[in-house]
């Protein structure tokens, strides 16, 4: 018979899997409580770092429809449930793992499929959403400026041509030459 506290823990973890845009599985062997607290703070508001028993995580993942994490659930396991920007959380985890050898990234889950360690690192290498949006806006602004110049070019060419024609007529009239009729 299942104990109520374990059933509640499985349901809580399954709910976190369902609500997360991504999750990263780590091993935290050898980290102190103060280091774990520092890690949780570095993840920010968009991510939750949860230590859980592997059997409970397996059941919760199965309940939530998350497949492919079974091989990662070996040894002391903690999962980062990311509800915000996955890139920011992956960067925070990677930076913490570089500074603290006790944290090992095992893999993750995002967009309905399991992620390898290399894919989590690639995710951490991406620029944040805000940076990518600002680059896109800059590129669009440059393209729009080019388009505006291109659309204005024929009108300015006609204006310069008209001015040159007027200057030529004024020169011909002022120089004593007989005005010519143009078609």
């Amino acid at each position: 018979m299942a104990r109520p506290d374990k059933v509640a823990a499985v349901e809580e973890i399954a709910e976190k899997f369902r609500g997360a845009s991504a999750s990263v599985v780590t091993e935290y062997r050898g980290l102190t409580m103060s280091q774990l607290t520092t890690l949780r703070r570095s993840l920010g508001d968009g991510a939750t770092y949860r230590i859980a028993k592997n059997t409970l995580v397996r059941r919760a993942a199965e309940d939530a429809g998350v497949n492919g994490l079974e091989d990662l659930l070996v040894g002391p396991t903690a999962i980062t449930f990311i509800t915000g920007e996955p890139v920011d959380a992956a960067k925070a985890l990677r930076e913490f793992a570089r500074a603290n050898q006790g944290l090992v990234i095992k893999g993750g889950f995002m967009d309905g499929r399991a992620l390898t360690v290399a894919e989590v690192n690639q995710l951490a290498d991406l620029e944040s959403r805000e940076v990518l949006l600002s680059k896109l806006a800059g590129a669009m602004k440059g393209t729009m400026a080019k388009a505006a110049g291109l659309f204005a070019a024929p009108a300015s060419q006609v204006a310069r041509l008209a001015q040159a024609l007027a200057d030529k007529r004024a020169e011909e009239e002022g120089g004593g030459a007989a005005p010519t009729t143009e078609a």
Side-chain angles (χ1 to χ4, degrees), residues 1-8 10 56 59:
M1 178 160 188
R3 291 183 16 204
D5 58 335
K6 289 189 177 184
V7 171
V10 167
L56 299 179
R59 288 187 182 146

Side-chain angles (χ1 to χ4, degrees), residues 47-100:
T48 315
Y49 192 74
R50 174 108 162 45
I51 296 172
K53 292 189 174 203
N54 292 332
T55 55
L56 299 179
V57 174
R58 276 189 194 96
R59 288 187 182 146
E62 186 178 310
D63 289 350
V66 174
N67 298 316
L69 296 182
E70 297 81 22
D71 296 340
L72 305 176
L73 301 176
V74 177
T77 301
I79 301 176
T80 305
F81 296 102
I82 305 166
T83 55
E85 187 63 35
V87 172
D88 296 337
K91 282 182 185 188
L93 283 169
R94 184 176 64 180
E95 292 305 315
F96 190 85
R98 283 182 181 164
N100 300 283

Side-chain angles (χ1 to χ4, degrees), residues 25-32 35-36 39 49 76-78 93 95-106:
V25 180
T26 60
E27 182 177 313
Y28 63 94
R29 192 182 316 240
L31 293 178
T32 65
Q35 289 173 320
L36 289 174
L39 172 60
Y49 192 74
T77 301
L93 283 169
E95 292 305 315
F96 190 85
R98 283 182 181 164
N100 300 283
Q101 299 301 318
L103 185 74
V104 177
I105 298 173
K106 295 180 178 181

Side-chain angles (χ1 to χ4, degrees), residues 159-180:
R160 283 195 299 271
L161 183 63
Q163 184 62 43
L165 185 59
D167 290 346
K168 183 177 179 183
R169 282 192 179 170
E171 189 179 290
E172 287 176 353
E173 289 176 4
T180 59

Side-chain angles (χ1 to χ4, degrees), residues 132-152:
L132 291 175
L133 287 175
S134 65
K135 284 185 175 183
L136 177 64
M140 291 176 72
K141 180 182 175 190
T143 303
M144 291 175 69
K146 286 180 187 176
L150 187 64
F151 292 138

